[in-house]
Every structure is written in structure tokens, then in C-alpha cells.
Amino acid sequence: MLSYEQSKKILKKAKIKIKDEKINSIKSLNRVVSSNVYSNINYPTGDNAAFDGYAINSKDTNQIKKNSQKQFKIIGSIAAGSKPLKKKIKKFDAIEIMTGGIIPKGFDSIIPIEQINFYPNKNNKKYILINQKIKKYNHVRFAGSDFKRGEVVIKKNTIVQPNHILAFKSLGIKKIKVKKRINILFFSTGNEISDKDNIPNWMVRNSNTHYIKNLNQNFLFNFKSGSILRDNHQNIFKQKINKLIKSKDDIIITSGAVSAGKFDFIPDVVKKFKLSSYFKSAAIRPGKPIMFAKIKGKEKAIFGLPGNPISSAACFRFFVIPYILNALGLSDEKSIKAILTNGFNKKKNFTRFVKSQLSTTKNGKLNVEILKGQESFRIKSFVKSNIWVLLPAGKSKFKKGDIVDCFFPNLSNQNLV
């Protein structure tokens, strides 16, 4: 039986290649950028006002002394979105300007509206009165001061988030190159599995399909639900793999029938194909009977997850998700470090994924509590949890105050750390 670390190495080497495609940037949320995205323009596109106020030429204030004042003639008004003013500027001219308005040539400084005195008065604004020397470039946003033409907006292998889409739209970036979404075909297995709501007590509702289906937006894949594979569907499953090899699907995932029972046919069927990589069972809890295979000479992979819902969720999070991230060119996830608030014992040679509750203290420390009810059949503790704690092999006792590794259950740590 492989250790968790050994199984991760096999998965990393056996990654499938995912092609690129160009898509509209505003529809790229949660896609992985496959090449650097550059700005095609300077942003801001022109020198503009950082405040509502009046634009002047700062040189016109050089001779103004204390206890004296000078009248500057108001020659017009510029709103954000107005065409640049082409009027000839004279000495001691001023122009009203709103935040974001393009500063006309001949003006180089903005006086905020709060600092303005009018002549003859506020109701009859013909002049502004300036009684001091004004610095050049006061409250001016310079063209290209945020992004310069040719500057990298986001780097290759970045997961697109809403703040990136804001930048794409602001900079006029219409198309970007991204990795295609991975296509997953999912099958639940077992005579006991049902898609019906009303079932007898010897049946089990098909929850694994719906759990993984609803992760697809956070975890960068397209999800397609296959039929339920019954206990005598070995030949049907073999046909499904043959179709996978010829289809646009990238990964088949099954839930159940991977252990060593009478009807656990998934590994035996998979091993009939030519494989470049394969393992079954890892020293983990929950999810020990996890299976993985890569079809030789094809960019196709198969995961066999345990049928137990919590075991299936844990294996998807710690085996399938890292595999997807690697295939899309993303770096390994970094764990969130937190302080353990209660002790926990496990088998030394096993890696444990434990349902836990992450919280913060008043002084900013991250604490994590391992919840009661860690048995794999218990759903209640999974509902209460907001984090998985990974307790590595090589250590059996974890004490209060230990620093432990944490992973979000419903999205990748890639998005946050």
C-alpha cells in the first residue's frame, strides 16, 4: 500500500495534457490563463483630474505672494467623459473639471473645489481667487501611471477572478488564451444507489454525484453525470472506458466498487486496459481504497473513489483536485497554517483528513478545532466543518498548540494563498 506522498508523486508524473483556447475575457471567471496577459494601452489613457475642482497652469501662480490674490478667469467646464478641450489657453485662465476629466493642454494642476473662492460670489462664478503658489501636478493622475502599454496584467497559470475581469474590461482586453476546462464523466456504482427521493431503508440516495457536480465552478472542470453502474455492469463499464478513449472527456471518476468485495469490479476492469500509471489503495483515512489509472498513449485518466460519501469527498479533494490543478499548469497548493485547539490521535503510518472548524482570535491568530464525529459515515460533522485538516503520516499524537495544515473543502487554496 502506498503512502499519501508516494501516491501524489505518481499523480504528478501521470498528468494529462490540456489544450488551450481563446475566449471572451468577460467570460473567463475561474479559468486558468495559459499565457501572460498584457495591457494594450496606457491606463489611465490621458492625464486626468483626481478631484472635482479647477485646473490651472501652476506657472501663473509663481508670483503670487502671501496676503495677495489673483483672479483666474473661468473659461468653461469639463466632465468625466467629455471630449478633450481644444480651446486656446491664456494666462490666468482656469477651467472647472470633474474627477476623471481629461486635463487640457496648458493646465498642469488641480485645485480641489473645497479650496476654491469665487469672484464675485458663488452665485455668479466668473473668476476663482488664488492667494498662494500652487505646486505643479497637484492632484493629477498621469496617463499610464497605473498600467503601461505592454505591461503584464496577470501572469500565465493564474486562475481568473472577478478583480482580473475588472482589469480586462477597463483595459479593453477582449480575448485571452486559457486552458480548456477539463471534462469529467462521473458514475456512481452499486445496486443500493438511487436517484429517487423516496427510498426504502436498504437503499442509498445518490449524493456523491450532486456533491461533485456542485464543485465544478470552484474547481475548473465540466461535469457530466453518467448512469448508475450496477453490481453486474462490468461489461458496461468496460464500454464506457472504450468510449472515453475516443471522446472529448478527459477523466472518468467512479464512486464505489473499488475495495475488495464481491462486487467491487472497478479495478479489475481498469487493469484490462493498457496503462502507463496505476495504483490502488493508499495509507489514508478516510478513503483508503482510492484507485488511479492513466491510459497508456492517451491523455485520459480514471479515478475510482470510495462509495462512502465522506471518503469520496476527501479523496476528490486530496487526489482529484491536485491532479486537475497540475494538469492545468498550476503550482502545488499551499496549506493554511493554523493552531490546533484540541488533541487528536491517529495511526502513525496513515495520513488523516479530518473535518474541522477554522476560526480567528481577536489578536489575529488562526485556530482550528478538530470536530467530534470523524467516522467516515458521519455527515453532520462535515456539515459543521469549514476546513479539512491534513495530519501527515509519521506522527500519531497531535496536541493542542501544534501547527497543522488546513485546506478549504469547497474551493482550492490556490485562490487565496
Side-chain angles (χ1 to χ4, degrees):
M1 183 166 50
L2 298 175
S3 70
Y4 176 56
E5 293 302 320
Q6 287 171 327
S7 65
K8 285 202 302 181
K9 288 179 181 179
I10 292 174
L11 291 176
K12 199 157 193 175
K13 289 181 180 178
K15 76 173 183 178
I16 54 176
K17 294 178 182 178
I18 303 299
K19 294 180 179 179
D20 300 330
E21 64 179 343
K22 275 196 171 183
I23 64 170
N24 290 331
S25 64
I26 59 173
K27 296 181 179 179
S28 62
L29 183 66
N30 283 332
R31 302 295 293 273
V32 177
V33 176
S34 52
S35 60
N36 290 350
V37 178
Y38 298 92
S39 177
N40 297 318
I41 61 169
N42 290 322
Y43 186 83
T45 53
D47 296 347
N48 68 82
F51 284 94
D52 293 340
Y54 284 79
I56 62 162
N57 187 330
S58 62
K59 289 182 181 179
D60 294 346
T61 69
N62 285 345
Q63 303 305 315
I64 297 176
K65 298 178 181 179
K66 290 183 179 180
N67 303 320
S68 66
Q69 58 184 14
K70 181 68 181 176
Q71 293 179 4
F72 282 65
K73 185 179 179 180
I74 300 171
I75 63 169
S77 181
I78 299 172
S82 298
K83 290 182 179 179
L85 187 74
K86 294 183 179 179
K87 194 172 182 178
K88 188 174 181 180
I89 307 302
K90 298 178 182 178
K91 194 171 184 180
F92 302 119
D93 278 350
I95 192 165
E96 184 183 27
I97 193 165
M98 310 307 168
T99 303
I102 298 297
I103 300 170
K105 289 183 179 179
F107 297 124
D108 63 9
S109 198
I110 307 297
I111 304 173
I113 188 68
E114 295 85 358
Q115 300 172 18
I116 295 293
N117 291 316
F118 295 99
Y119 179 85
N121 54 56
K122 286 184 179 181
N123 296 323
N124 188 10
K125 301 175 183 177
K126 291 186 177 180
Y127 299 88
I128 63 171
L129 299 174
I130 299 177
N131 59 9
Q132 61 181 327
K133 183 178 178 180
I134 303 298
K135 290 181 180 179
K136 191 176 183 180
Y137 304 136
N138 198 40
H139 304 305
V140 174
R141 298 169 175 163
F142 293 102
S145 58
D146 191 12
F147 277 102
K148 289 182 171 55
R149 185 192 299 272
E151 186 177 349
V152 174
V153 180
I154 60 172
K155 293 181 179 180
K156 176 182 179 180
N157 299 334
T158 299
I159 301 174
V160 176
Q161 297 298 298
N163 51 319
H164 300 138
I165 292 175
L166 181 149
F168 297 155
K169 192 63 179 177
S170 297
L171 299 171
I173 299 168
K174 294 181 180 180
K175 297 276 189 178
I176 61 171
K177 188 186 289 186
V178 298
K179 290 291 183 184
K180 287 187 173 183
R181 289 175 71 93
I182 288 176
N183 294 312
I184 288 177
L185 178 59
F186 184 87
F187 296 95
S188 289
T189 69
N191 286 350
E192 74 278 15
I193 303 299
S194 175
D195 282 323
K196 295 179 180 179
D197 292 325
N198 297 317
I199 59 173
N201 61 8
W202 61 84
M203 301 290 287
V204 176
R205 293 183 183 88
N206 187 12
S207 60
N208 291 346
T209 296
H210 296 280
Y211 173 72
I212 294 173
K213 178 182 179 180
N214 284 283
L215 290 173
N216 69 337
Q217 287 301 316
N218 292 338
F219 281 139
L220 318 168
F221 60 86
N222 294 320
F223 180 91
K224 185 164 61 176
S225 178
S227 58
I228 296 173
L229 297 172
R230 301 304 179 185
D231 290 348
N232 60 345
H233 281 184
Q234 294 93 327
N235 290 334
I236 292 175
F237 183 50
K238 185 177 180 180
Q239 292 169 14
K240 299 294 184 183
I241 297 176
N242 279 317
K243 286 184 179 180
L244 168 74
I245 293 171
K246 300 173 184 177
S247 73
K248 292 183 179 180
D249 294 323
D250 303 297
I251 302 173
I252 277 184
I253 299 178
T254 62
S255 175
V258 290
S259 191
K262 180 178 179 180
F263 300 111
D264 292 336
F265 61 83
I266 297 294
D268 288 338
V269 172
V270 169
K271 286 190 290 186
K272 291 178 181 178
F273 290 83
K274 292 183 179 179
L275 308 174
S276 58
S277 297
Y278 177 84
F279 70 78
K280 181 185 175 296
S281 294
I284 58 170
R285 290 283 192 278
K288 177 184 171 184
I290 175 85
M291 187 213 74
F292 168 77
K294 184 174 183 294
I295 304 295
K296 187 174 183 179
K298 303 290 181 180
E299 302 305 319
K300 310 288 181 179
I302 303 170
F303 281 91
L305 309 184
N308 177 287
I310 301 304
S311 298
S312 183
C315 286
F316 192 88
R317 182 62 185 87
F318 290 101
F319 289 84
V320 181
I321 292 308
Y323 188 78
I324 290 174
L325 297 178
N326 186 37
L328 293 172
L330 295 166
S331 58
D332 292 342
E333 290 181 88
K334 293 180 181 178
S335 66
I336 296 168
K337 303 291 184 180
I339 301 167
L340 196 58
T341 62
N342 56 339
F344 188 81
N345 295 335
K346 68 171 187 64
K347 289 185 177 181
K348 185 176 182 179
N349 294 330
F350 276 72
T351 296
R352 278 296 300 261
F353 311 122
V354 289
K355 298 164 278 187
S356 305
Q357 183 74 242
L358 188 71
S359 62
T360 58
T361 64
K362 290 181 179 179
N363 59 359
K365 291 182 180 180
L366 280 177
N367 284 342
V368 65
E369 176 191 3
I370 294 176
L371 299 174
K372 292 180 180 179
Q374 289 300 322
E375 296 92 343
S376 61
F377 76 91
R378 294 189 185 274
I379 297 172
K380 186 186 294 184
S381 51
F382 192 48
V383 172
K384 290 181 177 180
S385 71
N386 62 5
I387 206 81
W388 283 107
V389 167
L390 189 155
L391 301 177
K395 183 177 177 180
S396 58
K397 293 185 178 181
F398 291 82
K399 299 177 182 177
K400 178 180 178 180
D402 285 350
I403 306 296
V404 292
D405 296 320
C406 302
F407 293 85
F408 289 104
N410 300 318
L411 73 163
S412 167
N413 284 16
Q414 284 276 357
N415 290 328
L416 299 170
V417 293

